[in-house]
Amino acid sequence: MIVKPEFYATDTVTVARKLLGCLLIHEDRHGITSGRIVETEAYLRDDPACHASRGKTARTAVMFGPPGHAYVYLIYGMYHCFNVVTAPEGVGEAVLIRALEPVDGIELMEKRRGTREIRNLCSGPGKLVLALGISPKHNGVALYEGALRLSAPKKSEMPGEDQIVTTPRIGINVAAEAPLRFYLKGNIYASRPCKVSRAEAKRSVRS
DNA sequence: ATGATGATTAACT
DNA sequence: GTTAATCATCATG
């Protein structure tokens, strides 16, 4: 079942946790690819690490737009990250999808990623964008009516609260301690079980 | 196994 | 000019 737009219109942390187990699907002329979400991060309006925290700009406009749409942006000049816009319209919050467990179109993902190691196809935000063929043109599209969509798991496959591990986010320099990263316990497709982020390491060298 | 580095662009100071 | 929600590759223990 496709996730309805109302699902996204509430508290971003709740949405980030409930997105675990959902299926992200992308269909294009090359075929269909999909994966189960196993790792997410929440970005909140009063959170300095959140692009939208300093107000609406051309880049962050979609974060303030209707919930249930995609926010895709360029990172480090090389990769893109895929987010789901959350909270009511006008509130700039989103959930970063950090890792997927590959489900459909694995062969196509292998081609797009240039590797055959299944654990390396979608185990990171930049990787899953490549594997599913997501591009900047998806910035702003609705995730409940197009080629790029989100589907809820069957009840039997819905992860329980006790399966969710909470840790600090990865790769950020500000608000580095906030417990806003969520992943499925023991899942080998998460970007990493837990580790100090490089940003944190860098910071301790500087001080 | 862990750790450092380069690639490459847009937004922001 | 600097920074950034990253990744692959190369070096070192």
Side-chain angles (χ1 to χ4, degrees), chain A residues 44-58:
Chain A
L44 311 178
R45 73 194 126 185
D46 56 352
D47 164 11
C50 175
H51 293 165
S53 66
R54 292 193 218 181
K56 194 166 169 180
T57 66

Side-chain angles (χ1 to χ4, degrees), chain A residues 100 134-136 143 149 189:
Chain A
L100 304 176
I134 296 171
S135 79
L143 298 171
R149 49 190 185 271
Y189 298 99

Side-chain angles (χ1 to χ4, degrees), chain A residues 123-190:
Chain A
S123 53
K127 299 180 191 177
L128 69 91
V129 161
L130 288 172
L132 292 209
I134 296 171
S135 79
K137 76 177 185 200
H138 294 106
N139 191 36
V141 304
L143 298 171
Y144 42 85
E145 60 187 15
L148 180 61
R149 49 190 185 271
L150 260 162
S151 167
K154 289 181 277 189
K155 276 222 176 92
S156 58
E157 289 176 17
M158 193 130 42
E161 282 291 311
D162 58 339
Q163 292 302 111
I164 302 177
V165 183
T166 304
T167 76
R169 292 173 294 186
I170 292 191
I172 59 174
N173 290 285
V174 288
E177 270 110 84
L180 294 173
R181 171 173 176 251
F182 311 97
Y183 67 89
L184 293 180
K185 189 187 277 183
N187 191 289
I188 62 167
Y189 298 99

Side-chain angles (χ1 to χ4, degrees), chain A residues 104-130:
Chain A
D104 294 308
I106 292 179
E107 207 172 294
L108 180 51
M109 293 190 198
E110 289 173 343
K111 210 162 130 195
R112 284 172 171 155
R113 291 276 299 114
T115 176
R116 294 189 115 190
E117 287 176 75
I118 191 162
R119 289 178 59 186
N120 201 26
L121 291 178
C122 300
S123 53
K127 299 180 191 177
L128 69 91
V129 161
L130 288 172

